[in-house]
Amino acid sequence: MTIVRFVSADGRDTSEVEAAKGSRLLDVAQADGQPLEGTCEGQMACSTCHVIVDAGDFAALPPPSEMEEDLLDLAAGVTRHSRLACQIWLEPGLASLTVRMPATSRDMQGR
Ligand code: FES
């Protein structure tokens, strides 16, 4: 079991779920109603599953592939801790993982 915490783009809302080991982060996020489209369903062709991993948790994940890094270059609101949720599997030993939704133009409304 991994405790996954989702934080909204503005940081105001958080959601905490228990995910089975081996789950894919994109599937866990979608099951929790997080706003990740995942249009290409993990084929690494869309970057609509972009999330920002907590700085402390980032190093605990296997590093991204070159293809993932290339795709992240095209995503909006990318940070040093950005990842594609379709490329993150919750491996045994990962007790918890905190990820934030990236800011999008829609989330910027009301600023
Ligand atoms: Fe398309 Fe992750 S779902 S790149």
Side-chain angles (χ1 to χ4, degrees):
M1 220 41 111
T2 301
I3 306 288
V4 183
R5 281 183 213 96
F6 295 107
V7 182
S8 63
D10 63 9
R12 277 189 246 169
D13 297 314
T14 58
S15 173
E16 197 169 286
V17 296
E18 288 184 357
K21 299 226 179 292
S23 307
R24 192 172 63 155
L25 183 60
L26 176 61
D27 299 326
V28 176
Q30 290 182 333
D32 189 49
Q34 297 297 321
L36 294 181
E37 283 178 32
T39 311
C40 78
E41 298 178 349
Q43 302 301 308
M44 277 211 274
C46 73
S47 81
T48 60
C49 62
H50 169 212
V51 292
I52 299 161
V53 179
D54 176 82
D57 292 340
F58 189 81
L61 299 173
S65 65
E66 211 169 296
M67 198 171 159
E68 182 181 345
E69 285 187 335
D70 287 350
L71 201 51
L72 279 167
D73 285 342
L74 307 173
V78 173
T79 76
R80 284 180 9 193
H81 300 122
S82 288
R83 292 294 306 263
L84 296 178
C86 70
Q87 300 302 311
I88 296 176
W89 279 267
L90 304 173
E91 298 185 351
L94 187 66
S96 69
L97 179 68
T98 300
V99 297
R100 186 161 55 82
M101 300 300 118
T104 65
S105 52
R106 192 186 54 209
D107 295 319
M108 295 288 188
Q109 280 179 3
R111 281 184 126 200

